[in-house]
Amino acid sequence: MTQPNNPPPTDFIRDFIEDDLRTNKNDGVVAVRFPPEPNGYIHIGHAKSVCLNFGIAAQYGGTCNLRMDDTDPAGESLEYVESIIHDIHWLGFDWQGRLFFASDYFEQLYQFAVALIKAGKAYVCSLNAEETREHRGSFTEAGTESPYRKRSVEENLDLFTRMRAGEFPDGAHVLRAKIDMAASNIVMRDPIMYRIKREPHFRTGTDWVIYPMYDFAHCLSDALEGITYSICTLEFENNRPLYDWFVEQLIPGRRPRQIEFARLNVSYTVLSKRRLIELVEKKYVSGWDDPRMPTVAGMRRRGYTPEAIRKFAAAIGVAKNDNLVDVALLEHCVREDLNERAPRAMAVLRPLRVVIDNYPENQVEEFECPNHPQNPEMGTRKVPFSRVLYIENDDFLEDPPKKYHRLGPGREVRLRNAYVIRYESMVKNEQTGQIEEIHCTYDPETRNAPPADGRKIPGVIHWIAADHAVPAEVRLYDRLFRVPEPKDENYTADLNPDSLAILAKCYVEASLKDTIPGTGYQFERLGYFCADLKDSRPGKPVFNRIVPLRDSWAKIAGGGK
RNA sequence: UGGGAGAUCGUUCAAUGGUAGGACAACGGACUCUGACUCCGUGAAUCAAGGUUCAAAUCCUUGUCUCCCAGCCA
């Protein structure tokens, strides 16, 4: 997966693993896992973790399991499982058949719980949720022990059996680990292991009415799978003592080591599952795969490539610092990848009609245009040229500013891959004053050649022959939020109202008529585009703008975007 | 407030007691049939104060700031 010419990545986790390898701590075994909860689509933050875990497995000749952490049936579904599987494969990783579900271990986990009860280290607690919270104490005050903490092993066993059998309503009892209600780490204050929840599970159906909590299920699932490094995000640091506690009580031998790294934050977007779900459910976006979404599905539909996302993951690194990565870095990685692989084409987004007065009325020429300026191996394509063309509306200005290299009164410009044309006149709408078309003459000597007299033509613009133009819809995407860090409360107020602009009357060159959705092109001078995976149809293409080209003219001219 | 973690260019990641470096961003310039790409260049940082040391981003002390934890979520 890693490019052979790139140096292998280093970070504190790999340092840790390499130390273990040196001292032969785990007999050379490197076993990791990626454990998503299937209650949503994975996003760029998950992609970071996917690249980390699968990357480590590949780098050290180890394994990476895919495990669905499906311990809370509320909100989980097969649709999400399938999307996660699809997205990870698309990113370029494979778990070689090691797909697991925490729910596979429900019976095993139950037996572990029974064992803990028998060891006097777990008890059924009958406090309600509110009482449990009160007993937990606070940051500064120790908790108080539950009155049910001293129940006998027999009674606990009986109660827990009946919990499983469905004899009690939701919330009536929970199973708790008997640890220390005075622990300074609140996670250790008799944490809940099982709750009663009558919620059908997408895999186990109604087999269970009790479900294990994350803290109980996750560490044991890791241990059961022989995981050596359980890599997770920083917010689980407080849970590590509990992770170790459960494993130590129940599974002898080699123990997985939990290592925490900082989750990814990206500017101008949100990555919390809660907010992503809300964007989808409240229809701020068209779905999980809306091209503006930071989900893998959204980025795929937008036209981002797996290579670009992997490159990004490598570029941001792995550390324990809280971070807010500039979305410009992601865009840079996308451009860098697409610049190499995307064939060039011409498209006119906001057409302005141009008539070449001295070009024969019914003549059509075909120009052989290179598909890539730096890579001749990508071949050429034929692009028709005729008397009436479309150019980009902002490539002509009646009263151009300084440094403007394009068309205007008295000016010449090169038509990309074609002739040099000279402005002659314009036709305006008498009512509105809008320019309806402009008239030019061409210099027949300039096909594939500079002007014979040596004069410099400063500008090159793109164009489409009117008779051969393929009408297309083009969707221009911008960042979903207008502030770098949308506020937690009321973040929807920060939504960018201009994150989507639909241009219905664009023209693309003939070669793009039946383009395959998802394939990225560079529309020269505009940006990278691909036909939409859902809405594009042969003969009626719909293009998404993946990312615009860098535009140093815009900075000069507009002082901004 | 108790506990846990973290502070290095605008951003992000390095430097593991020995020249603070890369990438992104910014800014200049060269090149150009894409104002793209590429190339060259510029500016830009060790949270603070003490201490140890020939030498400190790194070790010690004190302080400051940020993040995480009081779900029967993960």
Side-chain angles (χ1 to χ4, degrees), chain A residues 11 60 82 140 211 227 235 290 292 331:
Chain A
D11 52 64
Y60 299 107
E82 284 164 356
T140 48
Y211 291 97
I227 299 300
E235 65 269 26
D290 185 297
R292 292 165 294 182
E331 292 172 346

Side-chain angles (χ1 to χ4, degrees), chain A residues 396 398 409 423-428 435-439:
Chain A
F396 173 81
E398 201 177 346
Y423 169 88
E424 298 295 343
S425 62
M426 70 178 103
V427 178
K428 284 189 178 178
I435 299 167
E436 291 191 326
E437 66 178 33
I438 61 174
H439 287 254

Side-chain angles (χ1 to χ4, degrees), chain A residues 94-263:
Chain A
D94 187 72
W95 42 93
Q96 294 158 293
R98 282 185 300 273
L99 168 64
F100 302 107
F101 292 79
S103 53
D104 290 342
Y105 310 131
F106 278 175
E107 181 60 36
Q108 172 87 261
L109 260 10
Y110 177 83
Q111 296 305 331
F112 277 135
V114 168
L116 224 43
I117 293 171
K118 287 180 176 166
K121 289 172 177 169
Y123 63 97
V124 172
C125 177
S126 309
L127 257 20
N128 66 30
E130 192 185 337
E131 292 162 337
T132 304
R133 184 173 2 100
E134 283 162 5
H135 278 76
R136 193 147 34 219
S138 71
F139 290 149
T140 48
E141 294 161 299
T144 48
E145 294 185 354
S146 162
Y148 304 100
R149 201 175 199 261
K150 292 189 174 66
R151 284 218 256 235
S152 68
V153 168
E154 292 67 32
E155 189 183 1
N156 283 323
L157 248 18
D158 174 60
L159 252 15
F160 189 50
T161 305
R162 290 162 61 195
M163 278 169 67
R164 175 180 183 170
E167 289 187 23
F168 308 113
D170 289 12
H173 309 282
V174 294
L175 184 72
R176 292 229 246 170
K178 195 185 288 183
I179 305 181
D180 179 7
M181 288 308 293
S184 53
N185 182 353
I186 292 174
V187 170
M188 301 299 277
R189 318 239 263 229
D190 287 10
I192 293 171
M193 296 163 56
Y194 272 89
R195 72 284 214 188
I196 303 172
K197 199 166 195 166
R198 277 179 182 71
E199 172 96 30
H201 187 285
F202 71 97
R203 294 187 79 238
T204 62
T206 53
D207 291 354
W208 295 85
V209 294
I210 57 172
Y211 291 97
M213 298 288 290
Y214 165 87
D215 281 309
F216 182 65
H218 199 95
C219 53
L220 297 173
S221 302
D222 281 345
L224 253 14
E225 291 176 18
I227 299 300
T228 52
Y229 305 100
S230 178
I231 301 169
C232 65
T233 43
L234 245 30
E235 65 269 26
F236 292 103
E237 269 175 327
N238 294 323
N239 302 53
R240 182 159 19 122
L242 181 54
Y243 182 107
D244 291 338
W245 190 89
F246 279 127
V247 177
E248 190 179 339
Q249 303 301 319
L250 293 162
I251 300 182
R254 196 162 62 209
R255 303 212 305 253
R257 160 71 204 214
Q258 175 176 305
I259 305 175
E260 310 86 7
F261 71 97
R263 70 183 322 135

